[in-house]
PDB file of all heavy atoms in Angstrom:
ATOM      1  N   GLN A 248     124.736  11.919 120.389  1.00 98.00           N
ATOM      2  CA  GLN A 248     124.615  12.354 119.011  1.00 98.00           C
ATOM      3  C   GLN A 248     125.915  12.465 118.370  1.00 98.00           C
ATOM      4  O   GLN A 248     126.072  12.871 117.160  1.00 98.00           O
ATOM      5  CB  GLN A 248     123.940  13.774 118.945  1.00 98.00           C
ATOM      6  CG  GLN A 248     122.618  13.804 119.683  1.00 98.00           C
ATOM      7  CD  GLN A 248     121.618  12.763 119.303  1.00 98.00           C
ATOM      8  OE1 GLN A 248     121.726  11.602 119.654  1.00 98.00           O
ATOM      9  NE2 GLN A 248     120.694  13.158 118.294  1.00 98.00           N
ATOM     10  N   ASP A 249     127.013  12.052 119.140  1.00 97.00           N
ATOM     11  CA  ASP A 249     128.397  12.137 118.585  1.00 97.00           C
ATOM     12  C   ASP A 249     128.954  10.771 118.395  1.00 97.00           C
ATOM     13  O   ASP A 249     129.393  10.129 119.438  1.00 97.00           O
ATOM     14  CB  ASP A 249     129.210  13.029 119.495  1.00 97.00           C
ATOM     15  CG  ASP A 249     130.651  13.197 118.979  1.00 97.00           C
ATOM     16  OD1 ASP A 249     131.205  12.285 118.322  1.00 97.00           O
ATOM     17  OD2 ASP A 249     131.250  14.293 119.206  1.00 97.00           O
ATOM     18  N   ALA A 250     128.941  10.253 117.203  1.00 98.00           N
ATOM     19  CA  ALA A 250     129.343   8.793 117.005  1.00 98.00           C
ATOM     20  C   ALA A 250     130.789   8.583 117.474  1.00 98.00           C
ATOM     21  O   ALA A 250     131.087   7.408 117.897  1.00 98.00           O
ATOM     22  CB  ALA A 250     129.207   8.515 115.508  1.00 98.00           C
ATOM     23  N   ASP A 251     131.627   9.541 117.411  1.00 97.00           N
ATOM     24  CA  ASP A 251     133.016   9.298 117.864  1.00 97.00           C
ATOM     25  C   ASP A 251     133.073   9.106 119.335  1.00 97.00           C
ATOM     26  O   ASP A 251     133.709   8.154 119.829  1.00 97.00           O
ATOM     27  CB  ASP A 251     133.890  10.522 117.560  1.00 97.00           C
ATOM     28  CG  ASP A 251     134.202  10.657 116.050  1.00 97.00           C
ATOM     29  OD1 ASP A 251     134.136   9.582 115.358  1.00 97.00           O
ATOM     30  OD2 ASP A 251     134.562  11.756 115.575  1.00 97.00           O
ATOM     31  N   ILE A 252     132.275   9.963 120.126  1.00 97.00           N
ATOM     32  CA  ILE A 252     132.272   9.727 121.543  1.00 97.00           C
ATOM     33  C   ILE A 252     131.660   8.373 121.880  1.00 97.00           C
ATOM     34  O   ILE A 252     132.121   7.597 122.705  1.00 97.00           O
ATOM     35  CB  ILE A 252     131.481  10.797 122.204  1.00 97.00           C
ATOM     36  CG1 ILE A 252     132.238  12.151 122.035  1.00 97.00           C
ATOM     37  CG2 ILE A 252     131.188  10.522 123.713  1.00 97.00           C
ATOM     38  CD1 ILE A 252     131.475  13.374 122.648  1.00 97.00           C
ATOM     39  N   VAL A 253     130.573   8.064 121.215  1.00 98.00           N
ATOM     40  CA  VAL A 253     129.821   6.793 121.492  1.00 98.00           C
ATOM     41  C   VAL A 253     130.805   5.662 121.195  1.00 98.00           C
ATOM     42  O   VAL A 253     130.992   4.746 121.990  1.00 98.00           O
ATOM     43  CB  VAL A 253     128.570   6.708 120.481  1.00 98.00           C
ATOM     44  CG1 VAL A 253     128.038   5.265 120.717  1.00 98.00           C
ATOM     45  CG2 VAL A 253     127.528   7.734 120.950  1.00 98.00           C
ATOM     46  N   TYR A 254     131.452   5.681 120.142  1.00 98.00           N
ATOM     47  CA  TYR A 254     132.460   4.559 119.710  1.00 98.00           C
ATOM     48  C   TYR A 254     133.554   4.349 120.701  1.00 98.00           C
ATOM     49  O   TYR A 254     133.733   3.314 121.221  1.00 98.00           O
ATOM     50  CB  TYR A 254     133.032   4.845 118.351  1.00 98.00           C
ATOM     51  CG  TYR A 254     134.023   3.771 117.982  1.00 98.00           C
ATOM     52  CD1 TYR A 254     133.623   2.638 117.298  1.00 98.00           C
ATOM     53  CD2 TYR A 254     135.389   3.841 118.248  1.00 98.00           C
ATOM     54  CE1 TYR A 254     134.465   1.669 116.935  1.00 98.00           C
ATOM     55  CE2 TYR A 254     136.249   2.881 117.936  1.00 98.00           C
ATOM     56  CZ  TYR A 254     135.797   1.809 117.241  1.00 98.00           C
ATOM     57  OH  TYR A 254     136.727   0.734 116.970  1.00 98.00           O
ATOM     58  N   THR A 255     134.215   5.450 121.132  1.00 97.00           N
ATOM     59  CA  THR A 255     135.224   5.340 122.001  1.00 97.00           C
ATOM     60  C   THR A 255     134.848   4.925 123.408  1.00 97.00           C
ATOM     61  O   THR A 255     135.492   4.112 124.058  1.00 97.00           O
ATOM     62  CB  THR A 255     136.036   6.610 122.061  1.00 97.00           C
ATOM     63  OG1 THR A 255     135.208   7.738 122.307  1.00 97.00           O
ATOM     64  CG2 THR A 255     136.781   6.866 120.758  1.00 97.00           C
ATOM     65  N   THR A 256     133.645   5.414 123.845  1.00 97.00           N
ATOM     66  CA  THR A 256     133.102   5.022 125.130  1.00 97.00           C
ATOM     67  C   THR A 256     132.777   3.519 125.071  1.00 97.00           C
ATOM     68  O   THR A 256     133.069   2.752 126.025  1.00 97.00           O
ATOM     69  CB  THR A 256     131.824   5.898 125.449  1.00 97.00           C
ATOM     70  OG1 THR A 256     132.113   7.202 125.253  1.00 97.00           O
ATOM     71  CG2 THR A 256     131.380   5.612 126.866  1.00 97.00           C
ATOM     72  N   ALA A 257     132.137   3.148 123.964  1.00 98.00           N
ATOM     73  CA  ALA A 257     131.758   1.680 123.848  1.00 98.00           C
ATOM     74  C   ALA A 257     132.980   0.774 123.924  1.00 98.00           C
ATOM     75  O   ALA A 257     133.147  -0.161 124.687  1.00 98.00           O
ATOM     76  CB  ALA A 257     131.064   1.497 122.575  1.00 98.00           C
ATOM     77  N   LYS A 258     134.030   1.184 123.099  1.00 97.00           N
ATOM     78  CA  LYS A 258     135.269   0.425 123.009  1.00 97.00           C
ATOM     79  C   LYS A 258     135.907   0.285 124.394  1.00 97.00           C
ATOM     80  O   LYS A 258     136.281  -0.821 124.841  1.00 97.00           O
ATOM     81  CB  LYS A 258     136.243   1.146 122.139  1.00 97.00           C
ATOM     82  CG  LYS A 258     137.442   0.281 121.693  1.00 97.00           C
ATOM     83  CD  LYS A 258     137.110  -0.599 120.553  1.00 97.00           C
ATOM     84  CE  LYS A 258     138.272  -1.478 119.975  1.00 97.00           C
ATOM     85  NZ  LYS A 258     138.888  -2.205 121.089  1.00 97.00           N
ATOM     86  N   ALA A 259     135.928   1.267 125.184  1.00 97.00           N
ATOM     87  CA  ALA A 259     136.525   1.214 126.561  1.00 97.00           C
ATOM     88  C   ALA A 259     135.789   0.215 127.375  1.00 97.00           C
ATOM     89  O   ALA A 259     136.294  -0.589 128.112  1.00 97.00           O
ATOM     90  CB  ALA A 259     136.584   2.610 127.215  1.00 97.00           C
ATOM     91  N   ALA A 260     134.364   0.375 127.351  1.00 98.00           N
ATOM     92  CA  ALA A 260     133.585  -0.574 128.117  1.00 98.00           C
ATOM     93  C   ALA A 260     133.718  -2.010 127.679  1.00 98.00           C
ATOM     94  O   ALA A 260     133.769  -2.900 128.438  1.00 98.00           O
ATOM     95  CB  ALA A 260     132.051  -0.113 128.002  1.00 98.00           C
ATOM     96  N   TYR A 261     133.808  -2.195 126.399  1.00 98.00           N
ATOM     97  CA  TYR A 261     133.967  -3.623 125.825  1.00 98.00           C
ATOM     98  C   TYR A 261     135.296  -4.184 126.357  1.00 98.00           C
ATOM     99  O   TYR A 261     135.390  -5.359 126.730  1.00 98.00           O
ATOM    100  CB  TYR A 261     133.854  -3.652 124.335  1.00 98.00           C
ATOM    101  CG  TYR A 261     132.541  -3.143 123.697  1.00 98.00           C
ATOM    102  CD1 TYR A 261     132.523  -3.020 122.345  1.00 98.00           C
ATOM    103  CD2 TYR A 261     131.395  -2.952 124.481  1.00 98.00           C
ATOM    104  CE1 TYR A 261     131.313  -2.567 121.643  1.00 98.00           C
ATOM    105  CE2 TYR A 261     130.272  -2.512 123.880  1.00 98.00           C
ATOM    106  CZ  TYR A 261     130.275  -2.351 122.488  1.00 98.00           C
ATOM    107  OH  TYR A 261     129.087  -1.925 121.940  1.00 98.00           O
ATOM    108  N   ASP A 262     136.283  -3.409 126.185  1.00 98.00           N
ATOM    109  CA  ASP A 262     137.639  -3.824 126.654  1.00 98.00           C
ATOM    110  C   ASP A 262     137.650  -4.258 128.123  1.00 98.00           C
ATOM    111  O   ASP A 262     138.109  -5.283 128.517  1.00 98.00           O
ATOM    112  CB  ASP A 262     138.767  -2.814 126.416  1.00 98.00           C
ATOM    113  CG  ASP A 262     138.962  -2.492 124.890  1.00 98.00           C
ATOM    114  OD1 ASP A 262     138.486  -3.285 124.079  1.00 98.00           O
ATOM    115  OD2 ASP A 262     139.533  -1.469 124.574  1.00 98.00           O
ATOM    116  N   LYS A 263     137.008  -3.475 128.845  1.00 98.00           N
ATOM    117  CA  LYS A 263     136.836  -3.715 130.361  1.00 98.00           C
ATOM    118  C   LYS A 263     136.097  -5.002 130.571  1.00 98.00           C
ATOM    119  O   LYS A 263     136.613  -5.877 131.238  1.00 98.00           O
ATOM    120  CB  LYS A 263     136.152  -2.550 131.088  1.00 98.00           C
ATOM    121  CG  LYS A 263     135.984  -2.707 132.568  1.00 98.00           C
ATOM    122  CD  LYS A 263     135.232  -1.579 133.187  1.00 98.00           C
ATOM    123  CE  LYS A 263     134.843  -1.907 134.594  1.00 98.00           C
ATOM    124  NZ  LYS A 263     133.667  -1.039 135.088  1.00 98.00           N
ATOM    125  N   ALA A 264     135.034  -5.133 129.881  1.00 98.00           N
ATOM    126  CA  ALA A 264     134.167  -6.415 130.075  1.00 98.00           C
ATOM    127  C   ALA A 264     134.970  -7.645 129.592  1.00 98.00           C
ATOM    128  O   ALA A 264     135.145  -8.665 130.305  1.00 98.00           O
ATOM    129  CB  ALA A 264     132.909  -6.221 129.213  1.00 98.00           C
ATOM    130  N   ARG A 265     135.613  -7.518 128.476  1.00 98.00           N
ATOM    131  CA  ARG A 265     136.437  -8.650 127.821  1.00 98.00           C
ATOM    132  C   ARG A 265     137.546  -9.034 128.803  1.00 98.00           C
ATOM    133  O   ARG A 265     137.915 -10.263 128.843  1.00 98.00           O
ATOM    134  CB  ARG A 265     136.822  -8.261 126.491  1.00 98.00           C
ATOM    135  CG  ARG A 265     136.438  -9.191 125.401  1.00 98.00           C
ATOM    136  CD  ARG A 265     137.029  -8.894 124.050  1.00 98.00           C
ATOM    137  NE  ARG A 265     136.274  -7.838 123.361  1.00 98.00           N
ATOM    138  CZ  ARG A 265     135.146  -7.937 122.712  1.00 98.00           C
ATOM    139  NH1 ARG A 265     134.626  -9.214 122.657  1.00 98.00           N
ATOM    140  NH2 ARG A 265     134.541  -6.938 122.120  1.00 98.00           N
ATOM    141  N   SER A 266     138.089  -8.127 129.445  1.00 98.00           N
ATOM    142  CA  SER A 266     139.267  -8.458 130.282  1.00 98.00           C
ATOM    143  C   SER A 266     138.871  -8.722 131.754  1.00 98.00           C
ATOM    144  O   SER A 266     139.636  -8.689 132.617  1.00 98.00           O
ATOM    145  CB  SER A 266     140.221  -7.228 130.235  1.00 98.00           C
ATOM    146  OG  SER A 266     139.597  -6.077 130.773  1.00 98.00           O
TER     147      SER A 266
END
Side-chain angles (χ1 to χ4, degrees):
Chain A
Q248 307 305 82
D249 183 325
D251 288 339
I252 294 180
V253 171
Y254 177 89
T255 49
T256 308
K258 194 83 179 53
Y261 297 171
D262 294 345
K263 179 182 170 199
R265 237 183 278 280
S266 58

